[in-house]
Amino acid sequence: MTSSKKPDKYYAILEGALKVFAENGFHKSQVSRIAKEAGVADGTIYLYFKKKEDILTSLFQEKLGELVEKFNTGVNEQMTAKQALYKVCEIHFSELEGNVNLAFLTQIELRQSDLELRKEIGLALKRYIILIENILERGKQDGSFHADFDVKLVRLLIFGGMDEVVTSWLISGQKYSLTAQVGPTVNFFMKGIEA
Amino acid sequence: MTSSKKPDKYYAILEGALKVFAENGFHKSQVSRIAKEAGVADGTIYLYFKKKEDILTSLFQEKLGELVEKFNTGVNEQMTAKQALYKVCEIHFSELEGNVNLAFLTQIELRQSDLELRKEIGLALKRYIILIENILERGKQDGSFHADFDVKLVRLLIFGGMDEVVTSWLISGQKYSLTAQVGPTVNFFMKGIEA
Amino acid sequence: MTSSKKPDKYYAILEGALKVFAENGFHKSQVSRIAKEAGVADGTIYLYFKKKEDILTSLFQEKLGELVEKFNTGVNEQMTAKQALYKVCEIHFSELEGNVNLAFLTQIELRQSDLELRKEIGLALKRYIILIENILERGKQDGSFHADFDVKLVRLLIFGGMDEVVTSWLISGQKYSLTAQVGPTVNFFMKGIEA
Amino acid sequence: MTSSKKPDKYYAILEGALKVFAENGFHKSQVSRIAKEAGVADGTIYLYFKKKEDILTSLFQEKLGELVEKFNTGVNEQMTAKQALYKVCEIHFSELEGNVNLAFLTQIELRQSDLELRKEIGLALKRYIILIENILERGKQDGSFHADFDVKLVRLLIFGGMDEVVTSWLISGQKYSLTAQVGPTVNFFMKGIEA
DNA sequence: CATGAATGAGGGTTCATTCAT
DNA sequence: CATGAATGAACCCTCATTCAT
């Protein structure tokens, strides 16, 4: 159903990598360990990926693709901008809460990369950031949001805020409900803190 | 006034590390390169630091100490909560804008660490987060902020938002003024986006 | 017939190690030098041995195995105890005289190890010591040897004596015939020095 | 009373080295550890010894000197050759039994050296070997020993035998009395094993 | 396509030795 | 004589990547 022209082993390797990366972190994960987890030979990995780093980026793009699809499914034009923003935050939190390995990947492992890779990741994130941007634009146009804030800035503030909430929850050991934070989080974005 | 009883070479090594880490990232930085940059022999580094990773954490703690001091100097009780928040954001942005190497360290390199180290960093960041928390509490008490938001959550949203703005500015190649974002950023925190 | 299911490279590395150890001693022998001598890459060594020290112990056990086999072949039940002792000494001396590298290994390198390793070596030597012990027991039972000496002690005196003769011959630069000492040596063991 | 032109620190270092070598073995003993044990600075050691290895050889020569002195005191011309041999063995065993650190040094550490050092040690041992040789010669001349054995060979057999008994006792964990072996040992040397 | 044995460059760390004080 | 901070050469081992089968 996905863009699955790719053979099974491609996905098996990615799943193995997700598990191994989440357990040990990118730099401490050996390729051979991923191979064993995926049930393929070490060399096989290099039939599907050029370098170890490519596994990480492919994994990210694949997973982000799935997320974006969920966003696209969950958010539609009938919603108000506020409702859409709520939905985005809800999906963001619930997806990562429901898949801790993926959370480790996005919040910890993907940061373990040099500038080069960070740019590539930034590029992949673009689609998500733009989704938020579109919602902000829509709110401005229909008058439900202020007219004078900087969309380019605020999308960062929103994304960064949600991102930090997830990381904090993850590092703390996932001891509380992440989805319970959706309401207060969106509320802050909407109303700020000023009385 | 700081704990500056440490010998000169200790600081020389940290400065060398800051430069080398910023240029190449932690994992791609050789100890011998840091030694050369600091003007000491390779072995000398191990008179002051137990392992390579210790250089990174010491560097972070040392630099964070300096920042916290600047926050303490810059923010005082005479200010309104809003003014204090503005000052915090201003220092946060201007310090990193004025020291790109330090920005690389905090935004990129320090994320390149396993969970263990992340926890340690999180611990060190606590002081900064609490500073924000205190401002929020003060605003609630004097009535200038809402009474009903969750301080623990909002401090994350504020920190995460600022953090993302800095990272974005850094990765984009520092093509625009970071300090120019202070006003709009704090404004968003205060008023949110709702019309 | 031996446990020679091991791949060729395993033995190639051992032979390389024998040569390099004999020339430079264990501690002054680099793994890379052994690799070159064996015609394999440095890393290949670690496919067959866990640590550098493992090469030494494996080498010893492999070589000792060969020696014990020769003892088993050379000594049989038809011989008198005296003849058997003679044969043991003859094999001991001739094998080491015929393989100076092996002599260096057993007389010099294997002593270059900490207590831990010495114990392991002592364990491996047990088979040889027991061979001597059996001969002594046999002589006592058939009345060709005294009835009242301590077998556990005398086996050490015999082994230690032969061992020292070999070491002395080796350190002196192998300037005389070692096998020529077999007769006088066994004669001393049999008759002592008392007139 | 010894040839003590040497300053106190020289001996302090040797005593420190004896302890450290006995505990860790030569190769695993750091010079700085010896310095600490001796209560001097690292650099001070190099005022008295040229290299680390020199500590080992000096230690050996110093200790061997003490032993030889004890042999000279204990053995005299009034004794029969047999009595003298008994005395030599008694001193050899009792001195090492009474000083386990010294035993470790002679039986284990001194073997941890390359050929060069082994030769030097062999040279130092010469005095002891010659002592045994003299006793053998005396026995031959006064007719209490056979006339036809090879003195050069038998002295090795005797030394090697005693040496192995000590090593075996040491490695086994010194669980039994070493001096109790003097009688049976000398007895074997005198009478051999033949009935 | 798949394998996995083989490769070999690379680097963190130790520690014997030196030398300015 | 004594110090001990500083040096820097030396080396074992790992592991991403390749390639003959």
Side-chain angles (χ1 to χ4, degrees):
Chain A
M1 202 59 67
T2 42
S3 63
S4 48
K5 292 251 182 46
K6 305 284 176 80
D8 286 354
K9 291 201 173 166
Y10 173 84
Y11 292 106
I13 292 166
L14 286 186
E15 287 309 313
L18 177 56
K19 188 171 174 216
V20 175
F21 286 163
E23 276 172 14
N24 313 289
F26 177 71
H27 284 102
K28 291 186 180 168
S29 295
Q30 292 110 305
V31 172
S32 65
R33 178 72 208 292
I34 295 172
K36 183 175 293 181
E37 199 73 45
V40 302
D42 291 19
T44 303
I45 287 186
Y46 290 86
L47 298 175
Y48 297 95
F49 304 91
K50 231 174 130 68
K51 308 160 94 297
K52 181 186 175 189
E53 216 168 47
D54 287 350
I55 308 177
L56 186 61
T57 47
S58 298
L59 184 53
F60 177 63
Q61 276 159 357
E62 208 70 43
K63 290 298 177 185
L64 191 77
E66 293 174 15
L67 277 183
V68 167
E69 213 168 328
K70 281 181 178 147
F71 284 126
N72 287 339
T73 307
V75 179
N76 60 60
E77 303 291 309
Q78 273 72 273
M79 291 172 166
T80 65
K82 181 176 178 177
Q83 285 172 326
L85 191 60
Y86 187 94
K87 196 73 192 170
V88 160
C89 184
E90 186 181 44
I91 292 172
H92 188 147
F93 285 8
S94 68
E95 283 297 321
L96 293 178
E97 183 166 37
N99 190 344
V100 176
N101 277 351
L102 182 59
F104 269 107
L105 179 74
T106 60
Q107 306 306 118
I108 309 285
E109 303 322 323
L110 282 175
R111 324 283 162 127
Q112 292 193 34
S113 41
D114 51 36
L115 195 54
E116 206 64 26
L117 184 51
R118 284 298 285 271
K119 278 178 181 160
E120 199 170 340
I121 289 170
L123 219 61
L125 265 182
K126 208 69 181 249
R127 283 192 292 173
Y128 181 36
I129 300 279
I130 284 176
L131 183 72
I132 297 174
E133 187 174 335
N134 287 341
I135 293 171
L136 293 176
E137 290 288 10
R138 185 142 60 87
K140 281 180 117 169
Q141 278 163 18
D142 67 21
S144 63
F145 291 171
H146 297 154
D148 58 348
F149 64 82
D150 179 353
V151 168
K152 306 271 188 215
L153 175 66
V154 169
R155 67 182 187 186
L156 290 177
L157 293 170
I158 288 177
F159 174 77
M162 294 192 300
D163 188 61
E164 185 67 23
V165 170
V166 174
T167 297
S168 179
W169 162 83
L170 190 68
I171 289 184
S172 77
Q174 311 108 53
K175 296 204 178 97
Y176 51 91
S177 164
L178 187 54
T179 43
Q181 312 300 320
V182 174
T185 295
V186 175
N187 204 41
F188 170 74
F189 292 151
M190 297 306 296
K191 293 173 38 189
I193 52 180
E194 199 162 28
Chain B
M1 202 56 67
T2 44
S3 62
S4 49
K5 292 257 183 41
K6 303 277 179 80
D8 287 353
K9 295 209 168 156
Y10 174 83
Y11 292 106
I13 291 166
L14 286 186
E15 288 310 313
L18 177 56
K19 189 172 173 213
V20 176
F21 286 163
E23 275 171 14
N24 313 288
F26 178 71
H27 284 101
K28 291 186 180 168
S29 295
Q30 291 113 305
V31 171
S32 64
R33 180 72 207 293
I34 295 173
K36 186 173 293 180
E37 200 70 46
V40 300
D42 291 18
T44 303
I45 288 187
Y46 292 88
L47 297 177
Y48 297 96
F49 303 92
K50 244 175 120 72
K51 308 162 92 283
K52 183 187 174 189
E53 209 171 53
D54 286 352
I55 308 177
L56 184 62
T57 47
S58 298
L59 184 52
F60 175 63
Q61 274 158 358
E62 209 71 43
K63 290 299 177 187
L64 190 77
E66 293 174 16
L67 276 184
V68 167
E69 214 170 328
K70 282 182 176 147
F71 283 126
N72 287 339
T73 307
V75 178
N76 61 60
E77 303 291 307
Q78 273 71 272
M79 292 172 165
T80 65
K82 180 175 179 179
Q83 284 171 327
L85 192 62
Y86 186 94
K87 196 73 192 171
V88 161
C89 185
E90 186 181 42
I91 293 172
H92 188 145
F93 284 9
S94 68
E95 283 297 322
L96 293 178
E97 183 165 37
N99 190 343
V100 176
N101 278 350
L102 182 57
F104 269 106
L105 179 74
T106 60
Q107 307 307 118
I108 309 286
E109 303 321 322
L110 283 175
R111 326 281 163 129
Q112 292 194 38
S113 41
D114 49 36
L115 194 54
E116 206 64 26
L117 184 51
R118 282 300 283 271
K119 278 178 181 163
E120 198 171 339
I121 290 170
L123 218 61
L125 264 182
K126 207 72 182 248
R127 284 191 292 173
Y128 181 35
I129 300 279
I130 284 176
L131 183 73
I132 297 176
E133 185 174 337
N134 288 340
I135 293 171
L136 294 176
E137 291 287 8
R138 187 142 60 87
K140 282 180 112 167
Q141 277 162 18
D142 69 21
S144 62
F145 291 172
H146 297 153
D148 58 347
F149 62 82
D150 180 352
V151 168
K152 307 272 187 215
L153 175 67
V154 170
R155 67 183 186 183
L156 290 178
L157 293 169
I158 288 176
F159 175 78
M162 295 191 299
D163 188 63
E164 185 67 24
V165 170
V166 174
T167 297
S168 179
W169 161 83
L170 191 68
I171 290 184
S172 78
Q174 312 108 55
K175 295 205 179 96
Y176 51 92
S177 164
L178 186 53
T179 43
Q181 312 300 319
V182 175
T185 296
V186 175
N187 204 40
F188 170 72
F189 292 150
M190 297 305 295
K191 293 175 36 190
I193 51 181
E194 200 162 27
Chain C
M1 202 57 68
T2 44
S3 63
S4 48
K5 293 256 183 43
K6 304 278 180 79
D8 287 352
K9 295 208 169 159
Y10 173 83
Y11 292 107
I13 292 166
L14 285 186
E15 288 309 314
L18 177 56
K19 189 172 172 213
V20 176
F21 286 163
E23 275 171 15
N24 313 288
F26 177 72
H27 284 101
K28 292 186 180 168
S29 295
Q30 292 113 304
V31 171
S32 65
R33 179 70 209 293
I34 295 172
K36 186 174 294 181
E37 199 72 44
V40 301
D42 291 19
T44 304
I45 288 188
Y46 292 88
L47 297 177
Y48 297 95
F49 303 92
K50 245 175 120 72
K51 310 159 92 285
K52 183 188 174 189
E53 209 171 53
D54 286 351
I55 309 177
L56 185 62
T57 46
S58 298
L59 185 51
F60 176 64
Q61 276 158 357
E62 209 70 44
K63 290 298 177 185
L64 190 78
E66 293 174 15
L67 277 184
V68 167
E69 212 170 329
K70 281 181 177 149
F71 283 126
N72 288 339
T73 307
V75 179
N76 61 60
E77 302 292 307
Q78 272 70 275
M79 292 173 167
T80 64
K82 182 175 176 178
Q83 284 172 328
L85 191 62
Y86 186 93
K87 197 73 193 172
V88 160
C89 185
E90 186 181 42
I91 292 172
H92 188 147
F93 284 8
S94 67
E95 283 296 324
L96 293 177
E97 184 166 35
N99 190 342
V100 176
N101 277 352
L102 181 58
F104 269 107
L105 179 74
T106 61
Q107 307 306 118
I108 309 287
E109 302 322 322
L110 282 175
R111 326 281 163 128
Q112 292 193 37
S113 41
D114 51 35
L115 195 54
E116 206 64 27
L117 185 50
R118 283 300 283 273
K119 278 179 181 160
E120 199 172 339
I121 290 169
L123 218 62
L125 265 181
K126 208 67 180 251
R127 284 192 291 173
Y128 181 36
I129 301 278
I130 283 176
L131 183 73
I132 296 175
E133 186 175 335
N134 288 340
I135 293 171
L136 293 177
E137 291 286 11
R138 187 141 61 86
K140 281 180 116 169
Q141 277 163 17
D142 66 21
S144 61
F145 291 173
H146 296 154
D148 58 347
F149 65 80
D150 180 352
V151 168
K152 306 272 188 215
L153 175 67
V154 169
R155 66 183 188 183
L156 291 177
L157 293 169
I158 288 175
F159 175 77
M162 294 190 301
D163 188 63
E164 186 67 23
V165 170
V166 174
T167 298
S168 179
W169 162 82
L170 191 69
I171 289 183
S172 77
Q174 313 108 53
K175 296 203 178 100
Y176 52 92
S177 165
L178 187 53
T179 43
Q181 312 301 319
V182 175
T185 296
V186 175
N187 205 41
F188 170 74
F189 292 152
M190 297 305 295
K191 291 174 37 188
I193 52 179
E194 201 163 25
Chain D
M1 201 60 66
T2 42
S3 62
S4 47
K5 294 253 184 42
K6 305 284 178 76
D8 286 354
K9 291 203 173 165
Y10 174 83
Y11 292 106
I13 293 167
L14 286 186
E15 288 310 312
L18 177 56
K19 189 171 172 216
V20 176
F21 286 163
E23 275 172 13
N24 313 290
F26 177 72
H27 284 101
K28 291 186 180 168
S29 295
Q30 292 111 305
V31 171
S32 66
R33 179 71 207 292
I34 295 172
K36 183 175 293 181
E37 199 73 44
V40 302
D42 292 18
T44 304
I45 287 187
Y46 290 86
L47 298 175
Y48 298 95
F49 304 92
K50 232 175 129 72
K51 307 159 93 301
K52 182 187 176 189
E53 216 170 47
D54 288 350
I55 309 178
L56 186 62
T57 47
S58 299
L59 184 53
F60 177 63
Q61 276 158 357
E62 209 69 44
K63 289 299 176 185
L64 191 76
E66 293 175 14
L67 277 183
V68 166
E69 216 170 323
K70 281 180 179 150
F71 283 127
N72 288 338
T73 307
V75 178
N76 60 60
E77 302 292 308
Q78 272 70 273
M79 292 172 165
T80 64
K82 181 175 178 179
Q83 284 171 328
L85 191 61
Y86 186 95
K87 198 70 193 173
V88 161
C89 185
E90 186 181 42
I91 292 172
H92 188 146
F93 284 8
S94 67
E95 283 297 323
L96 294 177
E97 183 166 35
N99 191 343
V100 176
N101 277 352
L102 181 58
F104 269 106
L105 179 74
T106 61
Q107 308 307 119
I108 310 287
E109 303 322 322
L110 282 176
R111 327 282 162 125
Q112 293 194 32
S113 42
D114 49 37
L115 194 53
E116 207 64 29
L117 184 50
R118 282 302 283 271
K119 278 178 181 163
E120 200 171 338
I121 290 170
L123 218 61
L125 264 182
K126 208 69 181 250
R127 284 192 290 172
Y128 181 36
I129 301 277
I130 284 177
L131 183 74
I132 297 175
E133 186 174 335
N134 288 340
I135 293 171
L136 294 176
E137 290 287 8
R138 187 141 61 84
K140 281 181 117 167
Q141 278 162 17
D142 67 20
S144 62
F145 291 174
H146 296 152
D148 58 346
F149 63 81
D150 180 351
V151 168
K152 306 273 188 215
L153 174 67
V154 169
R155 67 184 188 183
L156 291 177
L157 293 169
I158 288 175
F159 174 77
M162 294 190 301
D163 188 64
E164 185 68 24
V165 170
V166 175
T167 298
S168 179
W169 162 83
L170 191 68
I171 289 183
S172 77
Q174 313 109 54
K175 296 205 178 96
Y176 51 91
S177 165
L178 187 53
T179 43
Q181 312 299 319
V182 175
T185 296
V186 175
N187 205 41
F188 170 75
F189 291 153
M190 297 306 294
K191 293 175 36 189
I193 53 179
E194 199 163 25

